């Protein structure tokens, strides 16, 4: 389609990141350096002190906040390049010497396009504003030092040299900065130049693109360019902007392009303060923000020109803004890519989001508007390691009809910990004790392919009275692994679920606590390595009911979360990283205890959400589509039964259509009933002694 010139030349809104006037900032810079000199003289006159490596290391509070100081630099040997699109760069800065990308196929100033990439003499990036090979900022009068220094600030946060006896250290000092100027002396620019710069970055080998720029009107051609960059394997990080704006109602680009694209292409970053709360100026929103990172009181490298008063020092503070938070995340992405070059953009994004620490906001609504949480680099590297180890398995969308030959069932409190596997006709295929036969706290069960071998495993969790011990068995009951999901001294019981929440073809194990609940969801791989955690409903002592399935036909499962009691029917949906997606109210809010499962009941490749009433209510089962719209309801047992319903969905008879399997959740006999896709009863049988009244948990 034709794009109007107005859109092509749409101005970018430069985000101001500095809370003081330039004159005040200059005074602060001078005072800081003077104080350091005085301290140095005092100590030098009294005792020998070890030479500090980075002089301003103590000013970099955000490094410990994101656990960057707990990590070691591990490089695969390949150079990681971070393209920074900004207002210009100090190419001679002392702390960035050797940290800029160099185009080795180009000869300096010979006025020839040696590498035939369309840009003559582009040895160190390009200036898309002035269309020349010098991406330095415009320093002519009247000088705007905030604009002049902005690109250098970002470059230093990402890649300033470490332990060189100078100023600061970057989060990813092993990375190289590709400097691309797209903003003019006023901090404004054109999406045309941004498109050109993105294409240049990709075609010249960038691994990460940092976009600390925002604009409020969508540009279709830029959106298409970003999708193309993502499809080439480039990780794109964008600031969500300043102004305390709700981006759900007022989209800010490029971070909000994801809503138009229908896939998470741009990692949207909001800013947090020292207490992990939202920075007062930061924009927010459930749809555009992926995670937060520190964005206040940032001590940074700045453009240095000894002949200009406003530029007379090489370092300055305090800088603030979401465009300071974005390069912190971009640097973390660079660390992941440097260590594991094969990681895809989706894997990088998921590793960053699955490893976050919770934000400090007190309300659930505020937390859900800040994405998955606050960046934790050390945990992200751990998650990345597990992700890479699991790469290579074939992904099968759980949104499609799940063909299985059996279901598993176990009884609740008071019963021996026996797990049984049945086919759809009621034939026992095998059984085993999940825990010591003396344990009578009950067993919670789930099934999933947790090792990527194409075969289901059985995952169990102990009920109250047992430790938080997750056990993994093959379908014949042979143990494959076990680990503690919480403090091994706990005896409150746990619930387990499985789902492929990062689209690597391997199901994760999802665990929540029962009687010792804090509201936390923990996500593990089969080996028991923690891959992420979050508080979907805030901190609560009420146990959570969680199921996982593909509600949107992409490659990643969503998490469906509710309270096991006291829910008033509220069901919330999150993506695999813990980002809020949507919510709905089941049973019109008349049922306060519910459980859920997920399965494709109509064969369209997208799962439905099956909600069953819990203890104290009639045994009603309702089916909702992925948007939370009711499609059908039926009663699994006689309406006088109020013990609650455990429910599972699968295609045991392999006819291409899913069935619904129900069993009494508590107090009822172990009576499994089977309903077809029209919700007609087509079978049923007892799975244990029909006089048992321990309740059951069913999974397939």
């Amino acid at each position: 389609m034709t794009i109007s010139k107005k859109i092509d030349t749409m101005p970018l809104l430069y985000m101001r990141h500095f809370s003081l006037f330039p004159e005040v900032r200059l005074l602060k810079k001078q005072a800081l350096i003077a104080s350091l000199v005085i301290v140095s003289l005092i100590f030098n006159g009294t005792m020998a002190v070890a030479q500090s490596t980075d002089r301003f290391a103590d000013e970099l509070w955000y490094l410990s906040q994101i656990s960057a100081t707990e990590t070691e630099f591990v490089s695969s040997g390949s150079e990681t390049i971070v393209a920074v699109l900004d207002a210009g760069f100090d190419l001679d800065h002392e702390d960035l010497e050797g940290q800029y990308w160099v185009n080795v196929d180009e000869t300096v100033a010979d006025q020839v396009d040696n590498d035939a990439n369309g840009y003559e003499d582009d040895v160190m990036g390009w200036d898309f504003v002035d269309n020349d090979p010098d991406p330095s900022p415009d320093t002519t009068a009247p000088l705007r030092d905030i604009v002049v220094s902005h690109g250098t600030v970002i470059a230093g946060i990402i890649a300033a040299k470490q332990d060189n006896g100078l100023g600061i250290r970057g989060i990813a000092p092993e990375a190289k900065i590709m400097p691309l100027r797209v903003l003019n002396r006023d901090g404004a620019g054109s999406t045309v130049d941004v498109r050109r710069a993105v294409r240049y970055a990709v075609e010249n080998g960038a691994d990460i693109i940092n976009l600390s720029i925002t604009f409020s009107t969508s540009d279709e051609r830029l959106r298409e360019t970003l999708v193309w960059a993502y499809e080439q394997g480039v990780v794109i990080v964008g600031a969500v902007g300043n102004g305390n704006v709700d981006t759900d109602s007022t989209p800010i680009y490029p971070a909000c392009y994801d809503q138009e694209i229908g896939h998470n292409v741009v990692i949207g970053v909001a800013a947090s303060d020292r207490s992990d709360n939202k920075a007062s100026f930061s924009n927010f929103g459930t749809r555009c923000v992926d995670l937060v990172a520190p964005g206040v009181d940032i001590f940074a490298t700045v453009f240095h020109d000894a002949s200009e008063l406003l530029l007379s020092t090489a370092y300055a503070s305090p800088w603030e803004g979401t465009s300071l938070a974005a390069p912190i995340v971009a640097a973390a992405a660079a660390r992941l890519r440097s260590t594991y070059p094969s990681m895809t953009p989706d894997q990088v994004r998921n590793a960053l989001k699955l490893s976050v620490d919770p934000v400090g906001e007190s309300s659930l609504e505020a937390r859900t508007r800040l994405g998955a949480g606050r960046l934790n680099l050390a945990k992200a590297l751990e998650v990345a390691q597990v992700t890479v180890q699991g790469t290579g398995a074939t992904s099968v969308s759980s949104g499609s009809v799940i063909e299985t030959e059996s279901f598993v069932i176990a009884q609740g409190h008071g019963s021996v910990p026996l797990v049984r596997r049945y086919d759809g006709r009621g034939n026992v295929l095998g059984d085993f004790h999940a825990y010591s036969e003396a344990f009578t706290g009950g067993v919670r069960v789930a099934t999933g392919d947790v090792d990527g071998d194409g075969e289901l495993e059985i995952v169990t969790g102990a009920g109250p009275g047992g430790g938080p011990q997750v056990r993994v068995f093959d379908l014949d009951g042979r143990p494959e692994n076990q680990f503690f999901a919480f403090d091994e001294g706990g005896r409150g019981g746990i619930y387990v679920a499985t789902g492929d929440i990062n689209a690597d073809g391997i199901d994760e194990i999802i665990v929540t606590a029962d009687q010792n609940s804090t509201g936390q969801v923990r996500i593990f791989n089969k080996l028991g390595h923690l891959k992420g955690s979050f508080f979907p409903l805030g901190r609560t002592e009420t146990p959570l009911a969680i199921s996982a399935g593909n509600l949107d036909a992409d490659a990643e499962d969503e998490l469906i979360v509710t309270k096991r009691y006291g829910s008033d029917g509220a069901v919330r949906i999150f993506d695999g990283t813990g980002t809020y997606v949507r919510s709905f109210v089941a049973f019109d809010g008349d049922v306060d205890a519910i459980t859920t499962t997920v399965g494709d009941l109509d064969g369209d490749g997208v799962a439905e959400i099956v909600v069953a009433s819990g203890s104290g209510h009639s045994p009603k089962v309702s089916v909702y589509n992925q948007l939370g719209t009711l499609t059908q309801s039926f009663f699994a047992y006689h309406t006088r039964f109020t013990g609650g319903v455990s429910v599972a969905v699968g295609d045991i008879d392999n006819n291409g259509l899913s069935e619904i399997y129900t069993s009494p959740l508590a107090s009822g006999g172990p009576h499994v009933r089977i309903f077809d896709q029209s919700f007609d009863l087509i079978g049923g049988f007892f799975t244990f002694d029909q006089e048992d009244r321990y309740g059951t948990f069913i999974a397939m």
Side-chain angles (χ1 to χ4, degrees):
M1 61 181 291
T2 301
I3 305 298
S4 71
K5 187 171 182 64
K6 180 178 180 181
I7 294 178
D8 282 347
T9 58
M10 180 174 56
L12 295 169
L13 302 182
Y14 175 71
M15 298 188 299
R16 298 183 64 94
H17 314 285
F18 191 60
S19 60
L20 305 177
F21 293 104
E23 295 80 3
V24 178
R25 186 189 75 175
L26 176 62
L27 292 174
K28 184 159 186 172
K29 288 193 293 186
Q30 293 170 329
L32 175 60
I33 292 173
S35 66
L36 289 171
V37 171
I38 292 172
V39 170
S40 175
L41 289 173
I42 291 173
F43 281 104
N44 286 341
T46 58
M47 59 182 296
V49 178
Q51 177 66 41
S52 173
T53 52
D54 300 310
R55 288 185 297 156
F56 304 128
D58 290 343
E59 300 289 331
L60 309 179
W61 67 271
Y62 58 89
L63 294 183
S64 59
Q65 193 84 348
I66 65 169
S67 300
T69 54
E70 302 172 15
T71 65
E72 296 182 0
F73 298 110
V74 178
S75 177
S76 65
S78 62
E79 185 175 79
T80 302
I81 301 170
V82 182
V84 177
L85 281 61
D86 217 274
F89 306 82
D90 185 347
L91 301 179
D92 299 316
H93 195 285
E94 62 179 14
D95 229 356
L96 291 167
E97 182 181 358
Q99 299 303 91
Y100 287 109
W101 166 79
V102 175
N103 184 358
V104 296
D105 296 324
E106 195 74 18
T107 302
V108 177
D110 67 350
Q111 298 182 340
V112 175
D113 182 10
N114 305 103
D115 60 359
N117 70 349
Y119 296 88
E120 183 180 295
D121 295 337
D122 60 322
V123 175
M124 195 180 293
W126 193 259
D127 183 338
F128 290 89
V129 178
D130 294 333
N131 201 34
D132 63 45
D134 181 8
S136 301
D138 186 344
T139 58
T140 58
L143 180 67
R144 297 187 63 184
D145 67 326
I146 297 176
V147 178
V148 168
S149 289
H150 194 262
T152 306
V153 170
I154 290 172
I157 288 172
I158 296 171
K161 280 187 176 180
Q162 182 184 17
D163 296 332
N164 60 354
L166 295 173
I168 67 171
R169 54 161 282 195
I171 296 168
E174 77 282 8
K176 300 297 183 184
I177 300 296
M178 181 185 288
L180 304 175
R181 183 175 181 238
V182 297
L183 300 178
N184 63 22
R185 59 177 291 108
D186 297 317
S190 164
T191 54
V192 174
D193 289 339
V194 175
R195 288 204 315 266
R196 295 171 61 208
V198 168
R199 184 165 288 277
Y200 179 97
V202 175
E203 292 178 346
N204 287 277
D207 299 283
I208 318 289
I209 294 176
N210 184 85
L211 298 171
S212 289
I213 53 180
T214 63
F215 44 97
S216 57
T217 303
S218 178
D219 179 341
E220 180 181 0
R221 294 179 65 187
L222 176 56
R223 182 185 68 227
E224 292 172 349
T225 302
L226 292 175
V227 171
W228 169 79
Y230 161 83
E231 291 174 344
Q232 307 311 304
V234 177
V235 177
I236 305 168
V237 180
V240 299
N242 307 329
N244 196 29
V245 170
D246 183 351
T247 58
D248 289 348
S249 56
T250 306
I252 299 295
Y253 303 97
C256 290
Y257 273 137
D258 291 346
Q259 300 309 303
E260 300 177 6
I261 296 167
H263 189 74
N264 199 335
V265 170
V266 180
I267 300 175
V269 183
S272 57
D273 60 20
R274 288 176 180 259
S275 300
D276 284 336
N277 292 308
K278 184 184 83 69
S280 60
F281 54 79
S282 178
N283 292 344
F284 55 92
T286 61
R287 301 173 183 172
C288 305
V289 179
D290 287 290
L291 73 166
V292 300
V296 303
D297 298 332
I298 304 299
F299 189 94
T301 52
V302 294
F303 191 93
H304 179 216
D305 182 354
S307 66
E308 175 61 53
L309 181 61
L310 284 177
L311 305 175
S312 58
T313 60
Y315 308 92
S317 174
W319 290 79
E320 66 178 24
T322 59
S323 63
L324 283 301
I328 290 177
V329 173
R335 288 285 300 277
L336 298 185
R337 269 286 178 84
S338 179
T339 309
Y340 307 107
S342 65
M343 292 188 73
T344 67
D346 284 346
Q347 289 174 330
V348 170
R349 181 194 70 241
N350 289 337
L352 293 172
K353 295 177 69 173
L354 283 170
S355 55
V356 294
D357 288 334
V359 294
E361 300 292 331
S362 58
S363 72
L364 172 62
E365 181 180 7
R367 290 194 295 274
T368 58
R369 293 184 173 189
L370 293 178
R374 195 255 302 136
L375 172 70
N376 184 313
L377 177 56
K379 291 181 181 178
L381 287 166
E382 294 176 1
V383 172
Q385 181 181 23
V386 174
T387 298
V388 171
Q389 289 174 343
T391 300
T394 301
S395 176
V396 180
S397 170
S398 60
S400 60
V401 174
I402 300 174
E403 294 185 358
T404 178
E405 297 178 350
S406 61
F407 69 87
V408 296
I409 191 166
Q411 298 193 99
H413 181 75
S415 171
V416 295
L418 188 66
V419 177
R420 279 185 173 165
R421 187 164 69 94
Y422 284 86
D423 65 16
R425 296 181 176 85
N427 300 311
V428 178
L429 301 179
D431 57 27
F432 62 93
H433 288 92
Y435 303 97
S436 167
E437 293 184 41
F439 175 64
T440 59
V443 179
R444 285 75 186 268
V445 292
T447 61
D449 182 8
V450 298
D451 56 12
D453 65 354
E455 299 288 338
L456 292 178
E457 284 75 45
I458 300 170
V459 181
T460 68
Q469 189 176 31
V470 175
R471 286 189 169 180
V472 181
F473 303 84
D474 67 14
L475 290 178
D476 293 322
R478 290 185 290 263
E480 295 188 352
N481 193 48
Q482 61 182 342
F483 60 89
F484 287 99
F486 296 95
D487 188 327
E488 61 187 75
R491 292 294 182 269
I494 57 174
Y495 293 97
V496 292
T498 62
D500 183 9
I501 63 174
N502 61 2
D504 65 354
I506 302 173
D507 286 331
E508 284 70 49
I509 299 173
I510 305 156
V511 187
T512 60
D514 186 351
Q515 293 181 354
N516 295 330
S517 174
T518 62
Q520 185 183 41
V521 175
R522 291 188 174 183
I523 302 167
F524 300 86
N525 67 0
K526 176 187 175 181
L527 300 178
H529 297 157
L530 182 66
K531 300 184 68 175
S533 64
F534 69 110
F535 291 82
L537 306 183
R539 295 185 180 273
T540 174
E541 296 180 358
T542 304
L544 304 182
I546 294 187
S547 55
N550 198 324
L551 301 179
D552 51 16
D554 61 9
E556 304 161 357
D557 283 354
E558 283 70 49
L559 298 176
I560 297 85
V561 185
T562 185
K563 292 182 178 179
R564 290 190 174 270
Y565 54 84
S567 67
D568 294 326
V571 178
R572 290 184 173 90
I573 303 170
F574 298 81
D575 69 15
T577 64
T579 299
Y580 173 82
V581 177
R582 69 179 61 89
S583 60
F584 65 94
V585 177
F587 302 126
D588 294 325
D590 295 332
V591 178
D592 65 355
I594 56 180
T595 61
T596 66
T597 192
V598 178
D600 183 6
L601 291 168
D602 54 15
D604 65 352
V606 178
E608 283 72 49
I609 303 169
V610 182
V611 183
S613 58
S615 297
H617 300 276
S618 297
K620 193 173 185 179
V621 177
S622 292
V623 179
Y624 297 83
N625 67 17
Q626 61 271 26
L627 299 178
T629 302
L630 177 67
T631 63
Q632 185 63 274
S633 293
F634 64 94
F635 287 97
Y637 301 98
H638 194 284
T639 56
R640 289 198 298 269
F641 173 66
T642 59
V645 180
S646 179
V647 63
V649 174
D651 180 22
I652 287 184
D653 57 13
N654 292 329
N655 66 349
L657 298 172
S658 293
E659 295 82 44
I660 298 177
Y661 285 69
T662 67
S663 65
L665 186 63
S667 73
H671 186 194
V672 168
R673 282 187 162 188
I674 309 168
F675 300 84
D676 64 14
Q677 68 277 2
S678 299
F679 313 107
D680 294 326
L681 181 65
I682 58 175
F685 48 86
F686 285 91
T687 53
F688 297 95
D689 189 319
Q690 68 182 48
E691 300 301 322
D692 287 350
R693 292 295 184 269
Y694 304 119
T696 54
F697 291 88
I698 188 171
M700 62 175 56

